[in-house]
């Protein structure tokens, strides 16, 4: 949910309720003044938020649940103390050259969330002139978690960093998303730099993030890519199910200046580099 920049009906409901309680009819009217909304869709969103204990509905009046508000306040206060973007706030930033840390996860979704979080922190703590170099066997996260990946890419572009991704596959699913990466800051190439289907790598500055997915899951993803002709509900649902499967995966983050430079040369061959790291 994102009620600071609301897009979904649930987000709009929460955003409006931060200003005080509303009658259901008044709330529906306000939302219809912002976007096209059916009555059925509005009440479905209300039921969802009520089931999640986010809102209370009494005598056709709606308000945010104060218990939920307190829980969110406590959570955000704790997160703010723990994850402030500073040099000492993230273990990886304290790594010396040729040191590394490895993190293990029970689902790929948890790994991807941490991966995006760590990449965002490295983005803000490395040379702003340096591009981000990537290799994925298939960029399936862009299909399975489109909103999350788009948000991360937007952050990169807003910081005027280049995102240069090599994708190992050349299937219709690999090709169909290429049109979204058609400018100086977002570039996409089909190149099988590494052979293993479960191996992903990102280089940001002197930091190297290597992801190792469960091999059976990686093979199933590859099989889906080889059989599918387009992105449809079945493809999206199947990839989302891979995110939630209880399988072991890990990410290794290293700081290694010499290796990072070698990888950048290898991964950057097919791209137009508009910014070079200052030396």
């Amino acid at each position: 949910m994102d009620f600071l920049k609301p897009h979904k009906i649930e987000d709009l409901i929460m955003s409006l309720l931060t200003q005080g309680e509303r009658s259901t009819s008044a709330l529906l009217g306000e939302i219809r003044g912002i976007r096209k909304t059916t009555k059925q869709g509005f009440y479905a969103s209300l039921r969802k938020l009520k089931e999640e204990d986010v809102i209370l509905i009494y005598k056709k009046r709606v308000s945010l649940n104060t218990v939920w508000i307190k829980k969110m306040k406590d959570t955000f206060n704790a997160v703010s103390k723990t994850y402030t973007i500073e040099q000492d706030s993230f273990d990886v930033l304290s790594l010396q050259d040729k040191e590394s840390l490895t993190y293990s996860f029970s689902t790929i979704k948890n790994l991807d969330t941490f991966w995006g979080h760590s990449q965002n922190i490295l983005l803000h703590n490395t040379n702003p002139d340096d591009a981000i170099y990537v290799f994925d066997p298939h960029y399936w996260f862009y299909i399975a978690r489109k909103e999350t990946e788009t948000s991360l890419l937007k952050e990169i572009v807003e910081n005027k960093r280049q995102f240069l991704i090599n994708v190992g596959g050349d299937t219709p699913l690999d090709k169909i998303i290429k049109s979204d990466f058609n400018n100086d800051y977002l570039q996409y190439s089909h190149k099988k730099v590494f052979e293993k289907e479960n191996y992903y790598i990102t280089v940001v500055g002197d930091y190297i993030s290597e992801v190792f997915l469960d091999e059976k899951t990686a093979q199933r993803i590859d099989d889906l890519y080889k059989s599918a002709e387009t992105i449809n509900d079945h493809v999206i649902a199947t990839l989302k199910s891979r995110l939630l499967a209880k399988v072991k995966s890990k990410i290794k983050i290293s700081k290694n200046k010499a290796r990072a430079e070698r990888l950048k040369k290898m991964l950057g061959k097919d791209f137009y580099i508009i910014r070079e790291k200052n030396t």
Side-chain angles (χ1 to χ4, degrees):
M1 295 180 183
D2 186 356
F3 55 88
L4 297 178
K5 295 181 180 179
H7 297 290
K8 298 179 181 179
I9 299 176
E10 296 97 285
D11 298 339
L12 286 168
I13 290 171
M14 294 170 63
S15 178
L16 290 169
L17 291 178
T18 60
Q19 303 165 28
E21 71 173 35
R22 302 282 200 283
S23 67
T24 53
S25 58
L27 189 57
L28 175 58
E30 287 186 73
I31 291 175
R32 281 178 166 171
I34 299 170
R35 55 166 286 177
K36 290 183 179 180
T37 304
T38 65
K39 194 171 183 179
Q40 293 87 346
F42 169 73
Y43 280 102
S45 296
L46 281 184
R47 286 194 295 273
K48 180 180 178 182
L49 290 172
K50 184 179 179 182
E51 289 170 2
E52 294 173 351
D53 292 326
V54 175
I55 64 171
L56 297 174
I57 304 175
Y58 180 69
K59 292 186 177 180
K60 296 184 179 181
R61 295 193 67 81
V62 190
S63 64
L64 289 175
N65 186 340
T66 55
V67 175
W68 176 85
I69 293 172
K70 184 179 186 304
K71 183 169 68 174
M72 290 299 100
K73 180 180 178 181
D74 293 343
T75 299
F76 288 137
N77 285 340
V79 169
S80 178
K81 291 179 181 178
T82 305
Y83 292 102
T84 302
I85 300 176
E86 297 175 349
Q87 289 293 331
D88 60 354
S89 66
F90 187 48
D91 286 344
V92 171
L93 296 178
S94 65
L95 288 173
Q96 300 300 306
D97 196 46
K98 297 184 180 180
E99 291 183 341
S100 66
L101 289 169
T102 300
Y103 303 85
S104 298
F105 301 87
S106 59
T107 69
I108 296 174
K109 182 180 180 181
N110 290 342
L111 178 144
D112 188 47
T113 298
F114 178 84
W115 190 5
H117 168 71
S118 63
Q119 179 175 287
N120 197 38
I121 289 180
L122 292 175
L123 173 72
H124 289 279
N125 288 278
T126 53
N127 189 330
D129 290 340
D130 220 5
I132 296 170
Y133 299 79
V134 181
F135 170 77
D136 284 8
H138 304 287
Y139 192 10
W140 65 280
F141 294 101
Y142 190 75
I143 299 175
R145 304 191 75 187
K146 181 71 177 286
E147 188 174 334
T148 300
E149 291 297 312
T150 301
S151 178
L152 290 171
L153 292 172
K154 182 180 179 182
E155 176 81 3
I156 291 169
V157 173
E158 287 178 347
N159 280 273
K160 297 187 182 299
R161 301 285 286 266
Q162 285 186 287
F163 179 84
L164 313 174
I165 181 167
N166 294 274
V167 174
D170 197 29
T171 70
L173 291 189
D174 292 305
K175 294 176 180 177
I176 201 169
I177 67 171
K178 187 175 182 178
S179 60
D180 291 347
F181 300 79
N182 59 359
N183 59 61
D184 287 345
Y185 290 104
L186 299 177
Q187 298 182 39
Y188 185 104
S189 174
H190 298 284
K191 188 173 184 179
K192 200 169 184 65
V193 183
F194 300 99
E195 292 298 322
K196 290 188 176 181
E197 292 298 331
N198 72 324
Y199 182 70
Y200 300 66
I201 188 166
T202 302
V203 183
V204 184
D206 295 339
Y207 295 91
I208 305 162
S209 300
E210 297 171 277
V211 168
F212 305 85
L213 298 188
D214 168 72
E215 291 188 4
K216 289 183 179 179
T217 299
Q219 187 57 58
R220 286 170 181 153
I221 291 168
D222 187 53
D223 290 341
L224 176 66
Y225 264 74
K226 289 176 179 176
S227 63
E229 293 296 326
T230 189
I231 298 173
N232 53 38
D233 290 343
H234 169 70
V235 167
I236 294 171
T238 301
L239 292 176
K240 284 182 179 292
S241 72
R242 301 301 175 214
L243 287 169
L244 300 174
K246 294 291 184 179
V247 294
K248 292 182 179 180
S249 54
K250 65 180 181 179
I251 181 171
K252 178 182 178 182
I253 304 180
S254 312
K255 185 176 183 181
N256 190 318
K257 181 177 177 61
R259 186 180 176 220
E261 292 303 321
R262 290 196 300 271
L263 285 167
K264 289 174 190 177
K265 290 180 181 178
M266 181 190 305
L267 296 171
K269 288 182 179 179
D270 294 341
F271 301 108
Y272 168 60
I273 312 295
I274 61 173
R275 293 178 180 270
E276 296 287 348
K277 183 178 178 183
N278 296 324
T279 57

